[in-house]
Each structure stands twice: as structure tokens, then as C-alpha cells.
Amino acid sequence: GAFDFRPGPVFTQVLLADEINRATPRTQSALLEAMQEAQVSIDGETRPLPQPFFVIATLNPVEMEGTYPLPEAQLDRFLLRLDLGYPSPEEEAAMLERFVQGADIEATAVAGPEDIARAQRAVDAVVVDGRVRDYILAIVAATRDDERLRLGASPRAALALQRASQAQAAIQGRAYVMPDDVKALAAPALAHRLSVDAGARLRGVTARAVIAEILASVAVPIEA
């Protein structure tokens, strides 16, 4: 005579949403709270998700039948978007060799939750100089003033670009962000958040092309 709560697959630490554009809009919207707040509200009760928690999603942009476009609000929650494309000839040859006898692949853990949390704290400690911060804001502001874009970068996009640049600097062993970090991650952090105007899209304009032009026009801060 009572309901028992059974945690679903979202109660994990690394959630892989394969071909997320095949999920229904209701499922997509249900991910918003999990992605932003790391919690799930069910029947009026809020349940925290295990930490650290993050979502990785794949999307096949070619197939249209049976797919649902992701709303801007959900795209804005993804820190980065990467276009994988085809593997290189060397990578594809290694893949064929690996599966020549139907070999099973065993995944081995290379880091635990404590290691990830320690890395996150290291990223938090990376310094962002005021001039670099102004550079990020100038890039974001330029997307909002570009007539070819129906939707410019949001404040969350500026935060994402700064955060990703901090991570890039930490990975390279630096305690400070350089403008090159910002330039390297501007397209992965911003392109999926921008909406190109229909007329510009018909002319072949892409969000990544607009970002490339903005990076070429915005002045880069130089150390005095």
C-alpha cells in the first residue's frame, strides 16, 4: 500500500546520454535540474546526486527522423561541445586491429571521485587576470551585437568560457589563464549556445565561423 523509491540511472556520477536528440522533450527537460543543480526532485522531495556528477551526451546531427532538437536552455547547460568527425587513418587501423578477433575491451579506472574533486579544486585556484576577464566579456558581447546571430552568448556562456580556460591552464601546468587559452576554447564553449539567423544560415554562415571572425577582431590583451 506504499510506494518505494528506486533510484534511476541518473543517480550516478558520470551519466552518458547516447544520442540525446532521440530522447523525448520531457526527458530532455528533466535533465535540466540534474545538470544545473546536481539534484532531482521527485514527488516534492529533492534528492542530491552523487558527487562529482557530470553529463556527457552524444548527438547525431545527420539523422532527423525520430529526433527532437535540444532547446536553448539545455544546450546552455553543456560546458563544451566537440565535433568528433571521422577517426584518422592510424586510429581507424588501430580500431580494426583491436577488433580483428572480436576482442573484449576492459575499462580500467584511472581516477576516483577524490582525484576528480582534487582536480576541480586545482582549477578553482587558477588565476584569471582582470584583462583576460575583460577579453572574455568582449568576445561574449560581440556575439550579442552580431547581426547574423539571432541569439548571442548568455551570461552562463561567459562563465563556461572562463571555467574552461582555467581548466586548460591547469592541464598545461600553469596557475594563470592566458588569452591563448580563451581563444582555443571559445568555439567549443560558445558555438553551441549561439543561434544563427535563418538568412545567414542560408548563406552558409556557421556559429564557429562567426566566432572565428570575432576572435580576429577583438583586441587581445598584452602584458605591459
Side-chain angles (χ1 to χ4, degrees):
F3 289 103
D4 291 330
F5 174 72
R6 296 184 180 180
V10 75
F11 285 87
T12 183
Q13 291 183 296
V14 181
L15 176 64
L16 171 60
D18 191 26
E19 294 197 13
I20 192 171
N21 55 332
R22 290 195 179 277
T24 63
R26 184 174 180 179
T27 301
Q28 292 177 7
S29 63
L31 275 175
L32 289 177
E33 182 184 13
M35 294 175 67
Q36 184 63 37
E37 309 295 340
Q39 64 184 30
V40 176
S41 296
I42 303 173
D43 291 334
E45 183 177 351
T46 299
R47 301 175 185 271
L49 294 170
Q51 293 298 316
F53 172 81
F54 61 95
V55 176
I56 304 174
T58 65
L59 185 147
N60 189 339
V62 178
E63 299 179 19
M64 298 297 295
E65 187 174 350
T67 62
Y68 302 88
L70 271 67
E72 288 86 353
Q74 185 170 16
L75 287 171
D76 206 17
R77 260 69 174 185
F78 284 100
L79 181 73
L80 303 172
R81 176 176 178 176
L82 305 175
D83 297 324
L84 297 181
Y86 291 109
S88 66
E90 295 77 16
E91 293 169 337
E92 203 158 12
M95 179 187 70
L96 294 179
E97 177 67 24
R98 189 180 303 128
F99 287 94
V100 68
Q101 296 179 343
D104 294 330
I105 297 178
E106 294 184 4
T108 304
V110 297
E114 298 79 8
D115 301 311
I116 300 298
R118 189 159 48 248
Q120 290 174 330
R121 290 193 296 270
V123 171
D124 290 336
V126 173
V127 176
V128 183
D129 186 81
R131 289 166 295 179
V132 175
R133 189 176 296 112
D134 290 341
Y135 181 53
I136 293 173
L137 294 174
I139 294 171
V140 170
T143 67
R144 299 169 185 168
D145 296 334
D146 197 298
E147 295 180 352
R148 295 168 295 179
L149 298 178
R150 181 179 61 86
L151 184 68
S154 66
R156 186 179 283 110
L159 290 170
L161 181 53
Q162 176 175 268
R163 182 68 171 171
S165 299
Q166 287 177 287
Q168 167 97 338
I171 289 172
Q172 295 186 355
R174 280 184 279 105
Y176 55 92
V177 173
M178 297 176 59
D180 285 345
D181 299 321
V182 178
K183 295 176 75 171
L185 290 162
L190 301 181
H192 64 288
R193 306 168 193 268
L194 307 180
S195 180
V196 181
D197 182 78
R201 192 164 57 246
L202 289 174
R203 298 193 302 271
V205 176
T206 64
R208 285 181 172 267
V210 172
I211 292 173
E213 292 182 22
I214 289 174
L215 292 176
S217 63
V218 175
V220 180
I222 301 175
E223 185 178 5

